[in-house]
Amino acid sequence: MMSPFGRLLLLVCLVLPLYAVEKVRNRGYRKDAEFDKHGSCLQGPAGNPGREGNPGTNGIPGTPGIPGRDGMRGEKGECVSEVFEEPWRPNYKQCAWKSLNYGIDLGKIADCTFTKLRSDSTLRVLFSGSLRLKCKTACCQRWYFTFNGAECTGPLPVESIIYLDQGSLELNSTINIHRTSSVEGLCEGMKSGLVDVAVWVGTCSDYPRGDASTGWNSVSRIVIEELPKSF
């Protein structure tokens, strides 16, 4: 029969080899973990940063994108037609007479033909010359323009008048004053082409005529000018 000391020694002999085997197993497990992390060698200190590499080549162009959606429909616009007109150029004419000496009381005194270039233009007319009227009783004479035989209607006639009131019979019988005067105005609404511009002498409404004289001993003239229409 084994003594107590012998049994203790036998127990130690059995337990000690088991402890050694367990310790070796634990060491092997830790070694596998280090191997997974750093490989078979231990990690050394970090090296210096490397140099920058050369730029890469351009990549392949991308494919076109998907077309966008149609925009909203715009509002309806207004139709505007452009009219290109030629630049305006002066157009005028003068007819002059050295000494008309027309003593008529009714009728045409002088005329001047003019070429009108545009239908939408205006004519400016001027007659300049000496006019005279004398009578023993009240009288009135009218000098006016016609265009192709008719007075202006755009907007009104172009005219001038001279009126003498009744005075002393002796004084009126000796008055014979010739004064340079003018008949001037604008006329609209005539088509382009030839226009016969004339100066006439006639009576005033509701007044008797007198003894008229036009263009005595001096130069008389008709001036015609085409002007652009004002807006």
Side-chain angles (χ1 to χ4, degrees):
M1 188 172 182
M2 187 177 292
S3 63
F5 177 78
R7 287 195 298 268
L8 178 62
L9 182 59
L10 180 61
L11 180 60
V12 170
C13 291
L14 293 175
V15 171
L16 185 59
L18 295 175
Y19 173 75
V21 171
E22 185 65 24
K23 189 174 182 180
V24 171
R25 288 180 179 178
N26 292 337
R27 287 181 180 177
Y29 176 78
R30 287 195 298 269
K31 186 176 181 181
D32 293 341
E34 292 294 328
F35 180 82
D36 293 340
K37 184 176 181 181
H38 302 292
S40 61
C41 300
L42 296 177
Q43 182 177 5
N48 295 327
R51 294 179 301 174
E52 293 184 0
N54 296 328
T57 58
N58 294 333
I60 301 174
T63 57
I66 301 174
R69 294 178 298 176
D70 293 338
M72 297 179 62
R73 185 175 181 179
E75 297 180 358
K76 184 177 180 180
E78 297 181 358
C79 181
V80 179
S81 59
E82 290 184 305
V83 178
F84 297 94
E85 296 184 356
E86 296 180 0
W88 183 265
R89 61 178 183 178
N91 183 26
Y92 60 89
K93 183 178 180 180
Q94 174 180 245
C95 298
W97 301 267
K98 186 175 182 179
S99 182
L100 284 175
N101 285 332
Y102 266 30
I104 62 174
D105 303 326
L106 297 172
K108 182 191 292 186
I109 296 172
D111 59 5
C112 185
T113 303
F114 182 78
T115 301
K116 192 171 183 286
L117 300 179
R118 297 173 180 252
S119 296
D120 60 349
S121 60
T122 300
L123 287 188
R124 172 183 174 268
V125 290
L126 166 70
F127 172 79
S128 177
S130 68
L131 304 180
R132 185 215 65 183
L133 179 63
K134 70 175 185 176
C135 51
K136 293 183 178 181
T137 60
C139 62
C140 180
Q141 293 289 144
R142 173 176 176 259
W143 283 260
Y144 58 94
F145 273 99
T146 61
F147 303 86
N148 292 331
E151 290 195 60
C152 179
T153 57
L156 293 169
V158 180
E159 64 178 2
S160 290
I161 66 168
I162 297 178
Y163 169 79
L164 289 179
D165 197 0
Q166 182 178 357
S168 169
L169 295 178
E170 293 77 10
L171 182 61
N172 284 338
S173 63
T174 58
I175 290 179
N176 187 24
I177 301 175
H178 297 260
R179 292 188 177 92
T180 298
S181 304
S182 62
V183 185
E184 182 178 6
L186 301 176
C187 189
E188 302 174 351
M190 286 174 288
K191 297 181 179 180
S192 60
L194 291 177
V195 182
D196 182 39
V197 180
V199 177
W200 296 64
V201 62
T203 59
C204 306
S205 58
D206 300 330
Y207 288 95
R209 73 183 186 187
D211 183 10
S213 177
T214 305
W216 177 78
N217 200 31
S218 60
V219 173
S220 302
R221 58 174 43 86
I222 294 176
V223 178
I224 310 168
E225 182 182 8
E226 186 174 7
L227 300 175
K229 184 178 180 180
S230 59
F231 295 96

